[in-house]
Amino acid sequence: MVDTKEIKIKNLKELSKQKERLAPGHRMCPGCGAAIIARMIMHSTENEIVVANATGCLEVSTTIYPYTSWRVPWIHNAFENAAATLSGVETAFRSLKKKNKTKKDIKFLAFGGDGGTYDIGLQSLSAALERGHDFVYVCYDNEAYMNTGIQRSSATPYGASTKTDPAGKVRPGKLEFKKDLMEVVAGHGIPYLAQASPHNWADLMKKAKKAFETPGPAFLLVLSPCIPGWGMPNNKTIEIAKLAVDTNFWPLYEIEKGKYTLNYDPKDKAKPIIEWLKSQNRFKHLLLPKNSSMIQTIQDHADKKMNYLRMRANEK
Amino acid sequence: MSKTKIDRTPLSGAESVAQAMRQINPEVVAAYPITPQTGIMHAFTAFVNDGDVDTEMIRVESEHSAMSATLGASAAGVRAITATSSNGLALMHEIVYIAASTRLPIVMPVVNRALSGPINIHCDHSDTMAERDSGWVQIYCENNQEAYEMTLLAIRLAEHKDILLPVMVCQDGFITSHGVEGVKLYKDSIVKKFLGKYKPKHPLLDTKNPITIGPLDFYDYYFEHKRQQSEAIHNVRKVFPKLVKEFKKISGKDYGFIESYMMDDAKEAIVVMSSSAGTTKEVVDRLRKEGRKVGMVKIRMFRPFPISEIKEVLKGVDIVAVLDRVESFGAVGGPLFNEIRSSLYDYNNKPKIVNYVFGLGGRSYTPELGRQVFDEISKDKNSKDYEHNLVRYLVVRN
Ligand SMILES: Cc1ncc(C[n+]2csc(CCOP(=O)(O)OP(=O)(O)O)c2C)c(N)n1
Ligand SMILES: [Mg+2]
């Protein structure tokens, strides 16, 4: 196992010369995390790639016919089946390889939102992981169904206000905790999975590179700030992503062949969770005195998860 | 008794399709179990695991993923097949439409089974009839031989440059899929030559020429794309006869969009699909011996619908009974009835026409029932108020 920190990636100057695989001019919101994540991940390999995209913001905003922003082969089938679709593409490639009908070395990449991954696409993802297809599945997690107008998903965090679970007089938004998808995916015993954030581009790109180079399925869960969905300024994407990590809301870690590694631990420099909550309108109501206990609940939840990860990372 | 060489192999309808798939040797097959389709994939995966084909199997977790993976493989640029029945097809529904609109030449054998609910495993056509507007070519087979041959023809039809559409090859659950008949299999080398090699025009795996498949398509183009799709399926009308002619060199058969049986001078006719056509032929033979001018029309291809052939063959008939193996709830009659009835609209001397809904959930259609239909319509022929009894149910308790 190679330490992810040691993985060589290009420096920013070199990267700026690398050809963009997602062309500018797409219709993603200014400041959208997903577009940044997609570009960085595709920049992290120089191999030829083929992309499958689940229905969602990234898909609709980059392929408005007759235009496309994708300079690599790209396929969208439906919402819940990016993993199954890419299974078919990858299997076709494997068959051609077996018959000596292609000499190429193509990497296969799927992008799905949280709705398309945690919820409606979980079955198709789970089965593709179990079958062991050689691909990288990236979930850009903006913590709600954004393309359809900010509805709650199982990735929406406790306390957040969405259009299907708004902060109201008797119910203060979502009261269930976010599904721990990393643990769900880890349960499949796949060789590599990692959680990352776009603010730490080197960490994200190293993980992506590792994922591409891992034979068999690899999974990346990347936090993707959403300007309208989170209620935040469009020039704060990277700052807010960083805050998620600094408050332990979104730890950076990876699981390689079952071994946990915590890539960053702010330890006693961790900022209180309230700073994360204060940065976005979707949590605004939590600052009301009547909801103050919810903030403690969120803090406890984050602490518990971080302690769990520290414990796992210390396993020999 | 002279000894003649038997050149037929005893095979079920499901095994006949699996033999066709063996000869096609598709690069990718996705499989998910559902009765009565399972017979196809059991036989085919045995070929895979014995090394008779070099297909890569994807043993998926649902039919939704079966169709999704098949679509992905086909878009990648290889021959890809999956098969299903009933609820499996219903679960695929969303992707069935996407496959057609993506213009992918997927071939899917379907073993017809009644849709739930209530759950039932036996034959009727509710599953494929629910997909009749999906943009797939639909072929309905009468027997095992036809299921074998239509699967082979379907490959060429789907991949034809003027079509590029998916094709469903349907056979009746249990009646055909599990019934064993002697099937004449053509030599592998001859079939391979007929099938040729698949050369996709815009494969996704062509990384040198990257394309975007499945973009967002709004009111400014969507309609044109639907219109193109419609033209493509109507091109089957031109292409299918050419392929049949080519295939005739192997099969010796003239497969039409429809098959007419004793229709030249028929005054009373039954129109029906799939295995029930075989039963009806037997009824026609018996009644002909009694001197009655009866005949039968079998619809082989339901999509695109063979309107001109129907118009031609039913000309001069006094009364037609259309047999639908499906109920179209809230409509006046089944889908086949409505297609046939509308085909006759332009005639000055239209035949009378009635509908029989029959065989739901696997209820038997016997020669006796076929005779009952002919007896009833020959009375209706001279009745003025037959229209009050337009849609009938062939033996159902009240
Ligand atoms: C079967 C199906 N159900 C619902 C939809 C509607 N739909 C399209 S995109 C979307 C939201 C996607 O959410 P997510 O996966 O989180 O991606 P995001 O839009 O947030 O990037 C929904 C609900 C659909 N296209 N297909
Ligand atoms: Mg989302």
Side-chain angles (χ1 to χ4, degrees), chain A residues 48 63 65-66 68 71-77 80-81 84-85 88-89 91-92 94-95 98-99 104 123 127 131, chain B residues 27 54 56 58 61-62 64 68-69 72-73 94-95 98 204-205 207-208 210-216 221 225:
Chain A
E48 293 186 305
T63 64
Y65 188 88
T68 180
R71 291 175 176 158
V72 293
W74 180 96
I75 184 169
H76 161 248
N77 183 348
E80 63 289 71
N81 62 0
T85 305
V89 179
T91 307
R94 216 165 352 98
S95 154
K98 184 174 78 178
K99 294 183 182 176
K104 290 182 186 170
Q123 169 179 323
R131 288 190 302 266
Chain B
E27 275 78 12
D54 42 26
E56 290 288 333
I58 312 182
E61 87 298 343
S62 72
H64 194 284
S68 301
E94 181 193 28
I95 316 303
I98 298 174
L204 187 68
L205 292 176
T207 42
K208 293 267 163 321
I211 57 162
T212 287
I213 298 179
L216 181 66
Y221 288 99
H225 290 143

Side-chain angles (χ1 to χ4, degrees), chain B residues 95-315:
Chain B
I95 316 303
V96 164
Y97 271 69
I98 298 174
S101 77
T102 313
R103 305 288 302 273
L104 293 172
I106 295 166
V107 169
M108 176 162 64
V110 179
V111 182
N112 283 109
R113 158 178 158 178
L115 278 178
S116 297
I119 192 165
N120 173 296
I121 59 168
H122 294 284
C123 177
D124 71 32
H125 294 170
S126 48
D127 51 1
T128 51
M129 279 299 162
E131 304 302 330
R132 67 185 184 272
D133 290 339
S134 65
W136 286 56
V137 176
Q138 286 193 332
I139 300 173
Y140 289 80
C141 304
E142 178 183 333
N143 53 41
N144 306 8
Q145 186 71 39
E146 206 176 338
Y148 164 64
E149 298 190 14
M150 286 302 141
T151 308
L152 299 175
L153 269 166
I155 293 281
R156 287 286 306 276
L157 191 61
E159 290 171 4
H160 192 280
K161 65 171 176 43
D162 296 335
I163 298 173
L164 287 173
L165 284 174
V167 181
M168 275 179 215
V169 182
C170 312
Q171 59 172 289
D172 281 349
F174 289 105
I175 304 162
T176 310
S177 67
H178 287 57
V180 174
E181 292 179 333
V183 175
K184 189 172 157 63
L185 300 175
Y186 307 119
K187 264 195 166 152
D188 290 358
S189 57
I190 293 174
V191 171
K192 280 209 158 63
K193 208 168 148 213
F194 170 75
L195 293 172
K197 286 207 166 56
Y198 173 47
K199 292 188 199 77
K201 229 173 139 187
H202 303 291
L204 187 68
L205 292 176
D206 182 359
T207 42
K208 293 267 163 321
N209 301 291
I211 57 162
T212 287
I213 298 179
L216 181 66
D217 197 18
F218 277 148
Y219 32 71
D220 41 0
Y221 288 99
Y222 181 91
F223 205 166
E224 280 73 24
H225 290 143
K226 289 293 130 183
R227 180 65 200 273
Q228 287 175 354
Q229 207 182 315
S230 181
E231 277 172 21
I233 196 165
H234 285 296
N235 285 343
V236 171
R237 308 273 304 136
K238 277 177 257 154
V239 174
F240 185 67
K242 287 185 200 156
L243 294 176
V244 166
K245 209 167 151 198
E246 194 185 327
F247 194 62
K248 192 182 172 183
K249 290 184 203 125
I250 303 171
S251 70
K253 295 193 191 86
D254 279 310
Y255 283 121
F257 295 101
I258 64 168
E259 182 184 327
S260 38
Y261 191 73
M262 302 284 184
M263 285 301 295
D264 287 350
D265 61 344
K267 291 290 165 201
E268 296 154 18
I270 283 180
V271 181
V272 71
M273 292 161 65
S274 300
S275 68
S276 310
T279 315
T280 307
K281 284 177 190 167
E282 170 67 24
V283 179
V284 168
D285 286 348
R286 290 182 196 175
L287 295 184
R288 281 273 170 179
K289 275 195 199 120
E290 294 169 20
R292 288 169 62 175
K293 292 199 166 158
V294 295
M296 184 215 67
V297 177
K298 170 176 105 180
I299 307 296
R300 178 173 287 117
M301 194 175 283
F302 186 71
R303 284 289 182 268
F305 193 75
I307 181 164
S308 43
E309 285 77 3
I310 291 294
K311 278 179 148 169
E312 188 55 38
V313 74
L314 294 179
K315 207 183 266 171

